[in-house]
Amino acid sequence: MNNPSVSIVIPAYNESTRIRPLLSEISELCELREPGTPVIEFIFVCDGTDNTGDIIRDYKKNYQYLMIRCLDFPRRLGKGGGVKAGFAVASAPLVGFMDADNSASVSEMVRISQLTREHDGVIGSRHLPGQVLQRKQPLLRRVQSRIFNGIIRLLFGLSFYDTQCGAKVFRKDALDAVLPGLRSTGFEFDVELLWHLSKSGYSLIEVPVIWNDTLDSRLRLSDTFSMLASLFRIRLGD
């Protein structure tokens, strides 16, 4: 089996009702992969209470050629904690992460990974010209997202318009340089990661993505307030 050129980490907390379409797309993409295109390993991080891990392992049995790894943890890691756990075992020179609901598809992750040739990291955006929203988020979520990103731009001096989009790929050596200094384990992980990479002088680019909202977001309004409180502590403690 070829060594992977891209490792994609997928936090999968209680995703038993949503994981199968993503697995189907992974197998279809790998079956149709042409020579010269990225070889991808998928690292699922399961830290919930349902049978998500069992579903993934059973699927893997029927598709032995897929480069799928499933990590199980007996306690909740949080979104950021799950991503970091996946990063720790990733073996490819490029490492990214995406949402288990497949809002930004595997095909989009492949496209984004190919843009890292000239940058240390590429992040997807739902707010840049050129984005394609196949199904938009509810209005309240969109307003909430814009307010959150406005606060983050002011607080951290980041130029990005969508820090929370679930589609990001980075060079592994850049990640390895900043991960030891990250404290976040929740949804705020994305912001702290981008901030540390930017402060360290790494080249990051934001690009529009094709996005299909699942209307089943795990992010609640209370999570947004918790994220902001954590990020204020991180920023003031710097």
Side-chain angles (χ1 to χ4, degrees), residues 60-182:
K60 167 68 174 175
K61 290 177 183 177
N62 295 323
Y63 297 89
Q64 293 290 331
Y65 61 89
L66 295 178
M67 299 184 71
I68 287 179
R69 304 169 71 178
C70 184
L71 310 181
D72 288 290
F73 294 87
R75 60 180 178 83
R76 180 77 169 109
L77 300 178
K79 186 266 182 85
V83 171
K84 286 193 281 190
F87 282 173
V89 301
S91 60
L94 298 177
V95 183
F97 58 96
M98 65 179 291
D99 296 334
D101 64 7
N102 208 29
S103 294
S105 68
V106 176
S107 297
E108 278 295 271
M109 294 298 294
V110 172
R111 180 181 69 85
I112 288 173
S113 71
Q114 293 174 319
L115 299 177
T116 56
R117 293 168 183 160
E118 299 178 3
H119 301 278
D120 298 305
V122 181
I123 71 171
S125 176
R126 297 159 291 187
H127 304 320
L128 285 180
Q131 42 80 352
V132 178
L133 302 180
Q134 296 175 328
R135 181 189 291 124
K136 294 183 178 181
Q137 293 176 307
L139 178 60
L140 180 60
R141 282 294 310 282
R142 279 180 275 154
V143 172
Q144 176 184 332
S145 175
R146 292 302 181 94
I147 293 173
F148 176 85
N149 277 286
I151 294 173
I152 294 307
R153 285 165 65 88
L154 290 173
L155 187 62
F156 289 91
L158 294 173
S159 61
F160 309 117
Y161 288 93
D162 191 0
T163 59
Q164 303 308 117
C165 179
K168 298 178 175 69
V169 179
F170 307 93
R171 294 186 185 277
K172 190 175 188 300
D173 55 356
L175 289 175
D176 290 342
V178 302
L179 281 175
L182 302 189

Side-chain angles (χ1 to χ4, degrees), residues 148 164 183-193 226-228 230-231 234:
F148 176 85
Q164 303 308 117
R183 296 181 291 175
S184 302
T185 59
F187 289 109
E188 70 277 7
F189 170 79
D190 303 60
V191 174
E192 189 182 16
L193 173 61
S226 177
M227 289 166 61
L228 287 172
S230 296
L231 289 169
I234 289 168

Side-chain angles (χ1 to χ4, degrees), residues 207-218:
V207 299
V209 294
I210 300 173
W211 180 268
N212 183 25
D213 193 72
T214 62
L215 302 179
D216 185 23
S217 173
R218 303 297 168 87

